Short mmCIF file of all heavy atoms in Angstrom, two decimals:
data_model
loop_
_atom_site.label_atom_id
_atom_site.label_comp_id
_atom_site.label_asym_id
_atom_site.label_seq_id
_atom_site.Cartn_x
_atom_site.Cartn_y
_atom_site.Cartn_z
N SER J 1125 143.81 303.58 198.78
CA SER J 1125 142.47 303.03 198.96
C SER J 1125 142.24 301.90 197.95
O SER J 1125 142.54 302.04 196.77
CB SER J 1125 141.40 304.10 198.76
OG SER J 1125 141.56 305.15 199.69
N THR J 1126 141.69 300.79 198.44
CA THR J 1126 141.37 299.66 197.56
C THR J 1126 139.99 299.85 196.97
O THR J 1126 139.03 300.14 197.70
CB THR J 1126 141.44 298.34 198.34
OG1 THR J 1126 142.75 298.18 198.90
CG2 THR J 1126 141.13 297.16 197.44
N LEU J 1127 139.88 299.70 195.67
CA LEU J 1127 138.59 299.82 195.01
C LEU J 1127 137.82 298.50 195.12
O LEU J 1127 138.30 297.53 195.70
CB LEU J 1127 138.79 300.19 193.54
CG LEU J 1127 139.55 301.50 193.27
CD1 LEU J 1127 139.64 301.75 191.77
CD2 LEU J 1127 138.87 302.66 193.97
N GLU J 1128 136.63 298.49 194.57
CA GLU J 1128 135.82 297.28 194.58
C GLU J 1128 136.55 296.13 193.90
O GLU J 1128 137.41 296.34 193.04
CB GLU J 1128 134.51 297.53 193.85
CG GLU J 1128 133.58 298.54 194.48
CD GLU J 1128 132.38 298.81 193.59
OE1 GLU J 1128 132.59 299.35 192.49
OE2 GLU J 1128 131.26 298.47 193.99
N SER J 1129 136.18 294.94 194.26
CA SER J 1129 136.75 293.76 193.61
C SER J 1129 136.26 293.67 192.18
O SER J 1129 135.29 294.33 191.78
CB SER J 1129 136.34 292.50 194.37
OG SER J 1129 134.95 292.29 194.24
N GLU J 1130 136.93 292.86 191.41
CA GLU J 1130 136.54 292.68 190.02
C GLU J 1130 135.11 292.18 189.93
O GLU J 1130 134.31 292.68 189.11
CB GLU J 1130 137.49 291.70 189.34
CG GLU J 1130 137.21 291.50 187.86
CD GLU J 1130 138.21 290.59 187.19
OE1 GLU J 1130 139.27 291.07 186.75
OE2 GLU J 1130 137.91 289.37 187.12
N ASN J 1131 134.76 291.20 190.76
CA ASN J 1131 133.40 290.65 190.71
C ASN J 1131 132.36 291.70 191.06
O ASN J 1131 131.28 291.76 190.46
CB ASN J 1131 133.28 289.44 191.64
CG ASN J 1131 134.01 288.22 191.11
OD1 ASN J 1131 134.20 288.09 189.90
ND2 ASN J 1131 134.40 287.32 191.99
N ALA J 1132 132.67 292.54 192.06
CA ALA J 1132 131.73 293.59 192.45
C ALA J 1132 131.54 294.59 191.31
O ALA J 1132 130.42 295.05 191.05
CB ALA J 1132 132.23 294.30 193.71
N MET J 1133 132.63 294.93 190.61
CA MET J 1133 132.52 295.86 189.49
C MET J 1133 131.75 295.24 188.33
O MET J 1133 130.96 295.93 187.66
CB MET J 1133 133.91 296.29 189.02
CG MET J 1133 134.61 297.26 189.96
SD MET J 1133 136.12 297.92 189.21
CE MET J 1133 136.75 298.91 190.56
N LEU J 1134 131.96 293.95 188.09
CA LEU J 1134 131.22 293.29 187.02
C LEU J 1134 129.73 293.32 187.29
O LEU J 1134 128.91 293.56 186.40
CB LEU J 1134 131.70 291.84 186.87
CG LEU J 1134 133.09 291.65 186.27
CD1 LEU J 1134 133.51 290.18 186.35
CD2 LEU J 1134 133.13 292.13 184.82
N GLN J 1135 129.37 293.10 188.54
CA GLN J 1135 127.96 293.12 188.91
C GLN J 1135 127.39 294.54 188.84
O GLN J 1135 126.27 294.76 188.38
CB GLN J 1135 127.78 292.57 190.32
CG GLN J 1135 126.32 292.48 190.77
CD GLN J 1135 126.19 291.80 192.12
OE1 GLN J 1135 127.17 291.41 192.73
NE2 GLN J 1135 124.95 291.66 192.58
N ARG J 1136 128.20 295.50 189.25
CA ARG J 1136 127.75 296.90 189.25
C ARG J 1136 127.54 297.44 187.84
O ARG J 1136 126.52 298.08 187.54
CB ARG J 1136 128.77 297.75 190.00
CG ARG J 1136 128.51 299.25 189.95
CD ARG J 1136 129.65 299.98 190.61
NE ARG J 1136 129.57 301.42 190.42
CZ ARG J 1136 130.55 302.26 190.72
NH1 ARG J 1136 131.70 301.80 191.21
NH2 ARG J 1136 130.41 303.55 190.51
N PHE J 1137 128.52 297.20 186.97
CA PHE J 1137 128.46 297.77 185.63
C PHE J 1137 127.77 296.88 184.60
O PHE J 1137 127.40 297.36 183.53
CB PHE J 1137 129.87 298.11 185.15
CG PHE J 1137 130.56 299.17 185.95
CD1 PHE J 1137 131.76 298.91 186.61
CD2 PHE J 1137 130.02 300.45 186.04
CE1 PHE J 1137 132.41 299.90 187.34
CE2 PHE J 1137 130.66 301.44 186.78
CZ PHE J 1137 131.84 301.16 187.43
N GLN J 1138 127.64 295.59 184.91
CA GLN J 1138 126.99 294.65 183.99
C GLN J 1138 127.66 294.66 182.62
O GLN J 1138 127.03 294.87 181.58
CB GLN J 1138 125.50 294.99 183.86
CG GLN J 1138 124.68 294.72 185.12
CD GLN J 1138 124.62 293.23 185.47
OE1 GLN J 1138 124.07 292.43 184.70
NE2 GLN J 1138 125.19 292.86 186.61
N ILE J 1139 128.98 294.44 182.65
CA ILE J 1139 129.75 294.39 181.41
C ILE J 1139 130.58 293.12 181.40
O ILE J 1139 130.67 292.41 182.41
CB ILE J 1139 130.68 295.61 181.27
CG1 ILE J 1139 131.64 295.68 182.46
CG2 ILE J 1139 129.88 296.88 181.11
CD1 ILE J 1139 132.71 296.76 182.33
N ALA J 1140 131.20 292.84 180.27
CA ALA J 1140 132.06 291.66 180.15
C ALA J 1140 133.36 291.87 180.91
O ALA J 1140 133.84 293.00 181.06
CB ALA J 1140 132.34 291.38 178.67
N ARG J 1141 133.94 290.78 181.37
CA ARG J 1141 135.19 290.85 182.14
C ARG J 1141 136.32 291.49 181.34
O ARG J 1141 137.13 292.26 181.87
CB ARG J 1141 135.60 289.43 182.57
CG ARG J 1141 136.70 289.38 183.62
CD ARG J 1141 136.99 287.94 184.03
NE ARG J 1141 135.80 287.29 184.56
CZ ARG J 1141 135.42 287.34 185.84
NH1 ARG J 1141 136.16 288.01 186.71
NH2 ARG J 1141 134.33 286.71 186.24
N GLY J 1142 136.37 291.20 180.04
CA GLY J 1142 137.42 291.78 179.20
C GLY J 1142 137.34 293.30 179.15
O GLY J 1142 138.36 293.99 179.17
N SER J 1143 136.13 293.85 179.08
CA SER J 1143 135.96 295.30 179.04
C SER J 1143 136.40 295.94 180.34
O SER J 1143 137.02 297.01 180.35
CB SER J 1143 134.49 295.66 178.76
OG SER J 1143 134.12 295.27 177.46
N LEU J 1144 136.06 295.30 181.47
CA LEU J 1144 136.46 295.83 182.77
C LEU J 1144 137.98 295.82 182.92
O LEU J 1144 138.57 296.81 183.36
CB LEU J 1144 135.83 295.02 183.90
CG LEU J 1144 136.25 295.42 185.31
CD1 LEU J 1144 135.89 296.87 185.61
CD2 LEU J 1144 135.65 294.48 186.36
N ARG J 1145 138.60 294.74 182.54
CA ARG J 1145 140.06 294.66 182.68
C ARG J 1145 140.75 295.67 181.76
O ARG J 1145 141.79 296.22 182.12
CB ARG J 1145 140.52 293.23 182.38
CG ARG J 1145 140.11 292.25 183.48
CD ARG J 1145 140.60 290.85 183.25
NE ARG J 1145 140.29 290.00 184.40
CZ ARG J 1145 140.53 288.70 184.46
NH1 ARG J 1145 141.10 288.07 183.42
NH2 ARG J 1145 140.23 288.01 185.55
N GLU J 1146 140.18 295.90 180.60
CA GLU J 1146 140.75 296.91 179.72
C GLU J 1146 140.61 298.30 180.35
O GLU J 1146 141.51 299.13 180.27
CB GLU J 1146 140.06 296.89 178.35
CG GLU J 1146 140.69 297.84 177.35
CD GLU J 1146 140.04 297.76 175.98
OE1 GLU J 1146 139.21 296.86 175.75
OE2 GLU J 1146 140.36 298.61 175.13
N ALA J 1147 139.47 298.56 180.99
CA ALA J 1147 139.27 299.84 181.67
C ALA J 1147 140.30 300.04 182.77
O ALA J 1147 140.87 301.12 182.93
CB ALA J 1147 137.85 299.90 182.26
N LEU J 1148 140.55 299.00 183.55
CA LEU J 1148 141.53 299.09 184.63
C LEU J 1148 142.94 299.28 184.08
O LEU J 1148 143.76 299.99 184.67
CB LEU J 1148 141.46 297.85 185.52
CG LEU J 1148 140.15 297.67 186.30
CD1 LEU J 1148 140.14 296.34 187.04
CD2 LEU J 1148 139.95 298.82 187.28
N ARG J 1149 143.22 298.66 182.94
CA ARG J 1149 144.55 298.84 182.32
C ARG J 1149 144.73 300.29 181.87
O ARG J 1149 145.82 300.85 181.97
CB ARG J 1149 144.73 297.89 181.14
CG ARG J 1149 145.10 296.48 181.55
CD ARG J 1149 145.63 295.68 180.36
NE ARG J 1149 144.60 295.47 179.35
CZ ARG J 1149 143.76 294.44 179.33
NH1 ARG J 1149 143.82 293.53 180.30
NH2 ARG J 1149 142.86 294.31 178.37
#
């Protein structure tokens, strides 16, 4: 299953891109 796109997650969580990418890593 494909999760939300990066942009959708950024909008949903309202966090910086670096934090989101670290979470995915």
